[in-house]
Amino acid sequence: MRRWWRRPRVWCVVVVVAALTGYSGWTRFLRGEGRAKADQWSSTIGFYLASLLALVSLLVWLWRKESTAAGSGVTGAVDAAVAALARAQQEQWSAEEAARKVSDPWPLPVRWAVTARSRAVMVSWPAIRGRPGAGAVPLDGTFSDVAEVFLRDGSPRRLAVIGEPGTGKSTLVLRLTLDLLARRAPADPVPVLLSISGWQPAVDGLDEWIADRLATDNRTLARLVPGPDGTHRTLAEELVATGRVLPILDGFDEMASEHRSSAIAAINDVLGPRRQLVLTSRSAEYEEAAGFGLLAKTPVVEILPLPVGDVIGYLVDGTERAERWREVIGALERGEGVLAETLATPLMAQLTRVAYQQAGTDPGELLAGGRSADRTALEQHLFARFVPVVYGTSVGDRPRRSSAEAQAALTWLGNLARRMERRKTLDLAWWELGPYPLRPFVGLFWGAVFALVVLVPFGAVPAALGGGVAAAFLGFLTSLPTRPQRLDLAQIRARTLLIPGGAALIVGGTLGATVTIRSGAGYGVVAGLVGAVAGFAFFLTGRLEVYVDVGRSVSPRRLLREDRALALATGAGWGIFWAVAFILWGITAPAVLAALTVALVVGVAFSWSEWGPFCFARLYLACTGRAPLRLFAFLEEAHDRGVLRQAGGVYQFRHSTLQSHLASTGVPGPEVRDGVTAGDPVTDPVGG
């Protein structure tokens, strides 16, 4: 259905009505001004209208020329965008796999198969393969050959991976992404690993959501190209629509429960005969969603427990004094208690290796105190050791931390984990760290600035008080957390400059004409130039501001840099505008002029961005002992030490169960000296 704003008749009526209304209002205004001033007004406004029409004509011509030229380079632009996206994925996930130490000492041989449990939540093999009587496709495999299994003959190149918590689903699809990128031919789709937890199927379809995530952060993919129907769409939309992207969707179980069933239906809506897809989920959550409908043409595999032999080899190889493990190895081989069952998941096996890798540690603690008979107690013991141990040893270029420093890190991580649990999120986003009690102070700051701006030049106390209250309220609203933003200069086109150019002439013309009539041509020219620059900058900034998509950002620090740059540029622009305005109002005292201008610059930069509230949040959290002052450096070190993982523009704890443990426990963990624990955890509460 053709949308109403694309109908020429609608705009014809709008233009005619607007012209008649404007003409009537202008005639009444000139009659009220008298003949002498009417001549001045008419000549001044006529000049600006003529300039506006000339600018509009030029921009329309450039728009049409740009649109005509764009069609010839679509194929080349798409190929270049695909190559750039593949390189970005390769760089991002190679670095993340190294940070997670997947290959230390070697990747755990995670296995999967089509089990009775997975068959219960998938359609039949004839439905998957698209022909009656078709048999099963062999999809059993291990970590090292995941790409071969996915690409083998007869495979539908769709896969749903289910498993219990900690079985290695995320690590498996990370390896699949890298292997597919390494094997990828130029015509093959680019595997794109995305966390699906934030998708709301009721708001966006799957293709729209993927394209938006790609285009928001990738400047190349935000470029507009002509589509097959003549309308323009972003390169990201072009890649998704033409099947140049293979979405690998991780964390289906992390979606809100009310969205999961509709997500299955939304995925089925876009699954064409050649569409490829990978999805991961915990088993129970996927089974619950499958009760409302199965994923079309998609086999489901289940990750299997690790064999005891693989666990033993993983724990012993590369560790110091392998004989320390003799008692644990015997218990694993005999299948005593719950030790073998607990360590059969990659997460617990990795935590055990990290906790007892150093020569001075005693793995026999795993069997002490009844832990071998209580899986929960065993898991809590491993979680309690993890953070102190990784901070008590050197990692890469990170030096070993002292016992006091490790304890402080544990305290701060626990505070952050509790904050995330209260918000019911797995994402540690820096722009969401500011407490709401800080927001009223931003509003009060804006109220005070507005009151001074009105009071100093005009002395109008009632207007200053009333405007100050209104500014305080608006300052509070505009300081509520949203998402980081940046200026996307790649969006500059002739059509992008149309509205800012018109705004420059309208604002500058109106202000210049008014000041010319009231105060003379000299002041009018200055006022008109200031108004034109301000109008152009304000509307251009609004057109180029984009919310950065956190799931596709290269790093959280890059998000911060881009948001800070936008805040400082916006604050500086408004500062220049108001400095000139203050001079025109007669405020020439250097101290007063500097104070008002700096106040406005700081106010705009701090309240119209997420960087400003984050600066306040750092101070607040540091002063209350909840986090260090150098918060970003602390988070980056936690990532390097394997406590956090990076998911685009946010950090997450290594696993959701680690987050839950740090949030709920009051046990700070064992004291660590030189990487060696000094005994079992004590029961002092975590501060903060």
Side-chain angles (χ1 to χ4, degrees), residues 7-68:
R7 298 177 183 271
R9 293 180 181 178
V10 173
W11 285 108
C12 180
V13 173
V14 170
V15 170
V16 170
V17 172
L20 291 175
T21 304
Y23 178 78
S24 301
W26 182 245
T27 302
R28 295 192 61 182
F29 173 76
L30 291 180
R31 286 179 179 175
E33 289 289 305
R35 180 179 296 276
K37 288 189 175 181
D39 290 340
Q40 295 178 357
W41 276 108
S42 297
S43 59
T44 304
I45 297 300
F47 168 77
Y48 286 109
L49 286 177
S51 302
L52 177 61
L53 289 175
L55 177 65
V56 171
S57 300
L58 175 63
L59 292 175
V60 170
W61 176 74
L62 289 174
W63 188 336
R64 291 176 177 174
K65 182 177 180 181
E66 180 185 82
S67 299
T68 302

Coordinates of all heavy atoms in Angstrom, one line a residue, residues 7-68:
R7 N 2.2 10.5 -1.8 CA 1.2 10.9 -2.8 C 1.4 12.3 -3.2 O 1.2 13.2 -2.4 CB -0.2 10.6 -2.3 CG -0.5 9.2 -1.9 CD -1.9 9.0 -1.4 NE -2.1 7.6 -1.0 CZ -2.6 6.7 -1.8 NH1 -2.9 7.0 -3.0 NH2 -2.8 5.5 -1.3
P8 N 1.6 12.6 -4.5 CA 1.8 14.0 -4.9 C 0.6 14.9 -4.7 O 0.8 16.1 -4.3 CB 2.1 13.9 -6.4 CG 2.6 12.5 -6.6 CD 1.9 11.7 -5.6
R9 N -0.6 14.4 -4.8 CA -1.8 15.2 -4.6 C -1.9 15.7 -3.1 O -2.3 16.8 -2.9 CB -3.0 14.4 -4.9 CG -3.2 14.0 -6.4 CD -4.4 13.2 -6.6 NE -4.6 12.9 -8.0 CZ -5.6 12.1 -8.5 NH1 -6.5 11.7 -7.7 NH2 -5.6 11.8 -9.8
V10 N -1.4 14.8 -2.2 CA -1.5 15.3 -0.8 C -0.5 16.5 -0.6 O -0.9 17.5 0.0 CB -1.0 14.1 0.1 CG1 -0.9 14.6 1.6 CG2 -2.0 13.0 0.0
W11 N 0.6 16.4 -1.1 CA 1.6 17.5 -1.0 C 1.2 18.7 -1.7 O 1.5 19.9 -1.3 CB 3.0 17.1 -1.4 CG 3.6 16.2 -0.4 CD1 3.8 14.8 -0.5 CD2 4.1 16.6 0.9 NE1 4.4 14.3 0.7 CE2 4.5 15.4 1.6 CE3 4.1 17.8 1.6 CZ2 5.0 15.4 2.9 CZ3 4.6 17.8 2.9 CH2 5.1 16.6 3.5
C12 N 0.5 18.6 -2.8 CA -0.1 19.7 -3.6 C -1.1 20.5 -2.7 O -1.0 21.7 -2.6 CB -0.7 19.3 -4.9 SG -1.4 20.6 -5.9
V13 N -1.9 19.7 -2.1 CA -2.9 20.4 -1.2 C -2.2 21.1 0.0 O -2.6 22.2 0.4 CB -4.0 19.3 -0.7 CG1 -4.9 20.0 0.4 CG2 -4.8 18.8 -1.8
V14 N -1.2 20.4 0.6 CA -0.5 20.9 1.7 C 0.2 22.3 1.3 O 0.1 23.3 2.1 CB 0.5 19.9 2.3 CG1 1.4 20.6 3.3 CG2 -0.2 18.7 2.9
V15 N 0.8 22.3 0.2 CA 1.5 23.5 -0.2 C 0.6 24.6 -0.5 O 0.8 25.8 -0.1 CB 2.4 23.2 -1.5 CG1 2.9 24.5 -2.1 CG2 3.5 22.2 -1.2
V16 N -0.6 24.3 -1.1 CA -1.5 25.4 -1.4 C -2.1 26.0 -0.1 O -2.2 27.2 0.0 CB -2.7 24.8 -2.3 CG1 -3.8 25.9 -2.4 CG2 -2.1 24.5 -3.7
V17 N -2.5 25.1 0.8 CA -3.0 25.6 2.1 C -2.0 26.4 2.8 O -2.3 27.5 3.4 CB -3.5 24.4 2.9 CG1 -3.9 24.9 4.3 CG2 -4.7 23.7 2.2
A18 N -0.7 25.9 2.9 CA 0.3 26.7 3.6 C 0.6 28.0 2.9 O 0.8 29.0 3.6 CB 1.6 25.8 3.6
A19 N 0.6 28.0 1.6 CA 0.8 29.3 0.9 C -0.3 30.3 1.2 O 0.0 31.5 1.4 CB 1.0 29.1 -0.6
L20 N -1.6 29.9 1.1 CA -2.7 30.8 1.4 C -2.7 31.3 2.8 O -2.9 32.5 3.1 CB -4.0 30.1 1.1 CG -4.3 29.8 -0.4 CD1 -5.5 29.0 -0.6 CD2 -4.4 31.1 -1.2
T21 N -2.4 30.4 3.7 CA -2.3 30.8 5.1 C -1.2 31.8 5.4 O -1.3 32.8 6.1 CB -2.1 29.6 6.0 OG1 -3.1 28.6 5.8 CG2 -2.1 30.0 7.5
G22 N 0.0 31.5 4.8 CA 1.1 32.4 5.0 C 0.9 33.8 4.3 O 1.2 34.8 4.9
Y23 N 0.3 33.8 3.1 CA 0.0 35.0 2.5 C -1.0 35.9 3.3 O -0.8 37.1 3.5 CB -0.6 34.8 1.1 CG -1.0 36.0 0.3 CD1 0.0 36.8 -0.3 CD2 -2.3 36.4 0.2 CE1 -0.3 37.9 -1.0 CE2 -2.7 37.6 -0.5 CZ -1.7 38.3 -1.1 OH -2.0 39.5 -1.8
S24 N -2.0 35.3 3.8 CA -3.0 36.0 4.6 C -2.4 36.6 5.9 O -2.6 37.8 6.2 CB -4.2 35.1 5.0 OG -4.8 34.6 3.8
G25 N -1.6 35.8 6.6 CA -0.9 36.3 7.8 C 0.0 37.4 7.5 O 0.1 38.3 8.2
W26 N 0.8 37.2 6.4 CA 1.8 38.2 6.0 C 1.1 39.6 5.7 O 1.6 40.7 6.1 CB 2.6 37.7 4.9 CG 3.7 38.7 4.4 CD1 3.8 39.3 3.3 CD2 4.9 39.1 5.2 NE1 5.0 40.1 3.2 CE2 5.6 39.9 4.4 CE3 5.3 38.8 6.5 CZ2 6.8 40.5 4.9 CZ3 6.5 39.3 6.9 CH2 7.2 40.2 6.1
T27 N 0.0 39.5 5.0 CA -0.7 40.7 4.6 C -1.2 41.4 5.9 O -1.1 42.7 6.0 CB -1.9 40.4 3.7 OG1 -1.4 39.7 2.5 CG2 -2.7 41.6 3.3
R28 N -1.8 40.7 6.8 CA -2.3 41.4 8.0 C -1.1 42.0 8.8 O -1.3 43.0 9.4 CB -3.0 40.3 8.9 CG -4.3 39.8 8.2 CD -5.1 39.0 9.2 NE -5.5 39.9 10.4 CZ -6.3 39.4 11.4 NH1 -6.6 38.2 11.4 NH2 -6.6 40.2 12.4
F29 N 0.0 41.3 8.9 CA 1.2 41.8 9.6 C 1.6 43.1 9.0 O 1.9 44.1 9.7 CB 2.3 40.8 9.6 CG 3.6 41.3 10.2 CD1 3.7 41.4 11.6 CD2 4.6 41.6 9.4 CE1 4.9 41.8 12.1 CE2 5.8 42.1 9.9 CZ 6.0 42.2 11.3
L30 N 1.7 43.2 7.6 CA 2.2 44.4 7.0 C 1.3 45.6 7.2 O 1.7 46.7 7.4 CB 2.4 44.2 5.5 CG 3.6 43.2 5.1 CD1 3.7 43.1 3.6 CD2 4.9 43.7 5.7
R31 N 0.0 45.3 7.2 CA -1.0 46.4 7.4 C -0.8 46.9 8.8 O -0.9 48.1 9.1 CB -2.4 45.8 7.3 CG -2.8 45.6 5.8 CD -4.2 45.0 5.7 NE -4.6 44.9 4.3 CZ -5.7 44.3 3.9 NH1 -6.6 43.9 4.8 NH2 -6.0 44.2 2.6
G32 N -0.5 46.1 9.8 CA -0.3 46.5 11.1 C 0.9 47.3 11.3 O 1.0 48.2 12.2
E33 N 2.0 47.1 10.5 CA 3.3 47.7 10.6 C 3.3 49.1 10.0 O 4.1 50.0 10.3 CB 4.4 46.9 10.0 CG 4.7 45.6 10.8 CD 5.4 46.0 12.1 OE1 6.5 46.7 12.1 OE2 4.9 45.6 13.2
G34 N 2.4 49.3 9.1 CA 2.3 50.6 8.3 C 3.2 50.5 7.1 O 4.0 49.6 6.9
R35 N 3.0 51.6 6.2 CA 3.6 51.5 4.9 C 5.1 51.6 4.9 O 5.8 50.9 4.2 CB 3.1 52.7 4.0 CG 3.7 52.7 2.6 CD 3.1 53.9 1.8 NE 1.7 53.7 1.6 CZ 1.2 53.0 0.6 NH1 2.0 52.3 -0.2 NH2 -0.1 52.9 0.5
A36 N 5.7 52.4 5.8 CA 7.1 52.6 5.8 C 7.9 51.3 6.2 O 8.8 50.9 5.5 CB 7.5 53.7 6.8
K37 N 7.4 50.7 7.3 CA 8.1 49.5 7.8 C 7.7 48.3 6.9 O 8.5 47.4 6.8 CB 7.7 49.2 9.2 CG 8.4 50.1 10.2 CD 8.1 49.6 11.6 CE 8.9 50.5 12.6 NZ 8.7 50.0 14.0
A38 N 6.5 48.4 6.2 CA 6.1 47.3 5.3 C 7.1 47.2 4.2 O 7.4 46.1 3.7 CB 4.7 47.6 4.8
D39 N 7.6 48.3 3.7 CA 8.5 48.3 2.6 C 9.8 47.6 3.0 O 10.4 46.8 2.3 CB 8.8 49.7 2.0 CG 7.6 50.3 1.3 OD1 6.8 49.5 0.9 OD2 7.6 51.5 1.2
Q40 N 10.3 48.0 4.2 CA 11.5 47.4 4.7 C 11.4 45.9 5.0 O 12.3 45.1 4.6 CB 11.9 48.1 6.0 CG 12.3 49.6 5.9 CD 12.6 50.2 7.2 OE1 12.6 49.6 8.3 NE2 13.0 51.5 7.2
W41 N 10.3 45.5 5.6 CA 10.0 44.1 5.8 C 10.0 43.3 4.5 O 10.6 42.3 4.4 CB 8.7 43.9 6.6 CG 8.8 44.1 8.1 CD1 8.4 45.1 8.8 CD2 9.5 43.1 9.0 NE1 8.6 44.9 10.1 CE2 9.3 43.7 10.3 CE3 10.1 41.9 8.8 CZ2 9.8 43.0 11.4 CZ3 10.6 41.3 10.0 CH2 10.5 41.8 11.2
S42 N 9.3 43.9 3.5 CA 9.1 43.1 2.3 C 10.4 43.0 1.5 O 10.7 41.9 1.0 CB 8.1 43.9 1.4 OG 6.8 44.0 2.0
S43 N 11.2 44.0 1.5 CA 12.5 43.9 0.8 C 13.4 42.9 1.5 O 14.1 42.1 0.8 CB 13.2 45.3 0.7 OG 13.4 45.8 2.0
T44 N 13.5 43.0 2.8 CA 14.4 42.1 3.6 C 13.9 40.6 3.4 O 14.7 39.7 3.1 CB 14.4 42.5 5.1 OG1 14.8 43.8 5.2 CG2 15.4 41.6 5.8
I45 N 12.6 40.4 3.7 CA 12.1 39.0 3.6 C 12.2 38.5 2.2 O 12.5 37.3 1.9 CB 10.7 38.9 4.1 CG1 10.6 39.3 5.6 CG2 10.1 37.5 3.9 CD1 11.5 38.4 6.5
G46 N 12.0 39.3 1.2 CA 12.0 38.9 -0.2 C 13.4 38.4 -0.6 O 13.5 37.4 -1.3
F47 N 14.4 39.1 0.0 CA 15.8 38.6 -0.3 C 16.0 37.2 0.2 O 16.6 36.3 -0.4 CB 16.8 39.6 0.3 CG 18.2 39.0 0.3 CD1 19.0 39.0 -0.8 CD2 18.8 38.5 1.5 CE1 20.3 38.5 -0.8 CE2 20.1 38.1 1.5 CZ 20.8 38.1 0.4
Y48 N 15.6 37.0 1.5 CA 15.8 35.6 2.1 C 15.0 34.6 1.4 O 15.4 33.4 1.2 CB 15.5 35.7 3.6 CG 16.6 36.4 4.4 CD1 16.4 37.7 4.9 CD2 17.8 35.8 4.5 CE1 17.4 38.3 5.6 CE2 18.8 36.5 5.3 CZ 18.6 37.7 5.8 OH 19.6 38.3 6.5
L49 N 13.8 34.9 1.0 CA 12.9 33.9 0.3 C 13.6 33.5 -1.1 O 13.6 32.4 -1.5 CB 11.5 34.4 0.1 CG 10.6 34.5 1.3 CD1 9.3 35.1 1.0 CD2 10.4 33.1 1.9
A50 N 14.1 34.5 -1.8 CA 14.8 34.2 -3.0 C 16.0 33.3 -2.8 O 16.2 32.4 -3.6 CB 15.2 35.5 -3.7
S51 N 16.7 33.6 -1.8 CA 17.9 32.8 -1.5 C 17.5 31.3 -1.1 O 18.1 30.4 -1.5 CB 18.7 33.4 -0.3 OG 19.1 34.7 -0.6
L52 N 16.3 31.2 -0.4 CA 15.8 29.9 0.0 C 15.4 29.1 -1.2 O 15.7 27.9 -1.4 CB 14.7 30.1 1.0 CG 14.0 28.8 1.4 CD1 15.0 27.9 2.1 CD2 12.8 29.1 2.3
L53 N 14.7 29.8 -2.2 CA 14.3 29.1 -3.4 C 15.5 28.6 -4.2 O 15.5 27.5 -4.8 CB 13.4 30.0 -4.2 CG 12.0 30.3 -3.6 CD1 11.2 31.3 -4.4 CD2 11.2 29.0 -3.5
A54 N 16.5 29.5 -4.3 CA 17.7 29.1 -5.0 C 18.4 27.9 -4.4 O 18.8 27.0 -5.1 CB 18.7 30.3 -5.1
L55 N 18.5 27.9 -3.1 CA 19.1 26.8 -2.4 C 18.3 25.5 -2.6 O 18.9 24.4 -2.8 CB 19.2 27.1 -0.9 CG 19.8 26.0 0.0 CD1 21.3 25.7 -0.4 CD2 19.7 26.3 1.5
V56 N 17.0 25.6 -2.5 CA 16.1 24.4 -2.6 C 16.3 23.8 -4.1 O 16.4 22.6 -4.3 CB 14.7 24.7 -2.3 CG1 13.8 23.6 -2.8 CG2 14.5 25.0 -0.9
S57 N 16.3 24.7 -5.0 CA 16.5 24.3 -6.4 C 17.8 23.6 -6.6 O 17.9 22.5 -7.3 CB 16.4 25.5 -7.4 OG 15.1 26.1 -7.2
L58 N 18.9 24.1 -6.0 CA 20.2 23.5 -6.1 C 20.2 22.1 -5.5 O 20.8 21.2 -6.1 CB 21.3 24.4 -5.5 CG 22.7 23.9 -5.4 CD1 23.2 23.6 -6.8 CD2 23.6 24.8 -4.7
L59 N 19.7 22.0 -4.3 CA 19.7 20.8 -3.6 C 18.8 19.7 -4.3 O 19.2 18.5 -4.3 CB 19.2 21.0 -2.1 CG 20.2 21.8 -1.2 CD1 19.6 22.0 0.1 CD2 21.5 21.1 -1.1
V60 N 17.7 20.1 -4.8 CA 16.9 19.1 -5.6 C 17.6 18.6 -6.8 O 17.6 17.4 -7.1 CB 15.5 19.8 -6.0 CG1 14.8 18.9 -6.9 CG2 14.7 20.0 -4.7
W61 N 18.3 19.5 -7.4 CA 19.1 19.1 -8.6 C 20.2 18.1 -8.2 O 20.4 17.1 -8.8 CB 19.7 20.3 -9.3 CG 20.6 19.9 -10.4 CD1 20.3 19.5 -11.7 CD2 22.1 20.0 -10.4 NE1 21.4 19.3 -12.4 CE2 22.5 19.5 -11.7 CE3 23.0 20.3 -9.5 CZ2 23.8 19.5 -12.0 CZ3 24.3 20.3 -9.8 CH2 24.8 19.8 -11.1
L62 N 20.9 18.4 -7.1 CA 22.0 17.5 -6.6 C 21.4 16.2 -6.1 O 22.0 15.1 -6.3 CB 22.7 18.2 -5.4 CG 23.6 19.4 -5.8 CD1 24.1 20.0 -4.5 CD2 24.7 19.0 -6.7
W63 N 20.2 16.2 -5.5 CA 19.5 15.0 -5.1 C 19.3 14.1 -6.3 O 19.6 12.9 -6.2 CB 18.2 15.4 -4.4 CG 17.5 14.2 -3.7 CD1 17.6 12.9 -4.0 CD2 16.6 14.3 -2.6 NE1 16.8 12.2 -3.1 CE2 16.2 13.0 -2.3 CE3 16.1 15.4 -1.9 CZ2 15.3 12.8 -1.3 CZ3 15.2 15.1 -0.9 CH2 14.8 13.9 -0.6
R64 N 18.7 14.6 -7.3 CA 18.4 13.8 -8.5 C 19.6 13.3 -9.1 O 19.7 12.1 -9.6 CB 17.5 14.6 -9.5 CG 16.1 15.0 -9.0 CD 15.4 15.8 -9.9 NE 14.0 16.1 -9.5 CZ 13.2 16.9 -10.1 NH1 13.6 17.6 -11.2 NH2 12.0 17.1 -9.6
K65 N 20.6 14.1 -9.2 CA 21.9 13.7 -9.8 C 22.5 12.6 -9.0 O 23.0 11.6 -9.6 CB 22.9 14.9 -9.9 CG 24.2 14.5 -10.6 CD 25.0 15.8 -10.7 CE 26.4 15.4 -11.4 NZ 27.3 16.6 -11.5
E66 N 22.5 12.7 -7.7 CA 23.1 11.7 -6.8 C 22.3 10.4 -6.9 O 22.9 9.3 -7.0 CB 23.0 12.2 -5.4 CG 23.5 11.2 -4.3 CD 23.3 11.7 -2.9 OE1 22.2 11.5 -2.4 OE2 24.2 12.3 -2.4
S67 N 21.0 10.4 -7.0 CA 20.2 9.2 -7.1 C 20.4 8.5 -8.4 O 20.5 7.3 -8.5 CB 18.7 9.6 -7.0 OG 18.4 10.2 -5.7
T68 N 20.6 9.3 -9.5 CA 20.9 8.7 -10.8 C 22.2 8.0 -10.8 O 22.4 6.9 -11.4 CB 20.8 9.8 -11.9 OG1 19.5 10.4 -11.9 CG2 21.0 9.2 -13.3

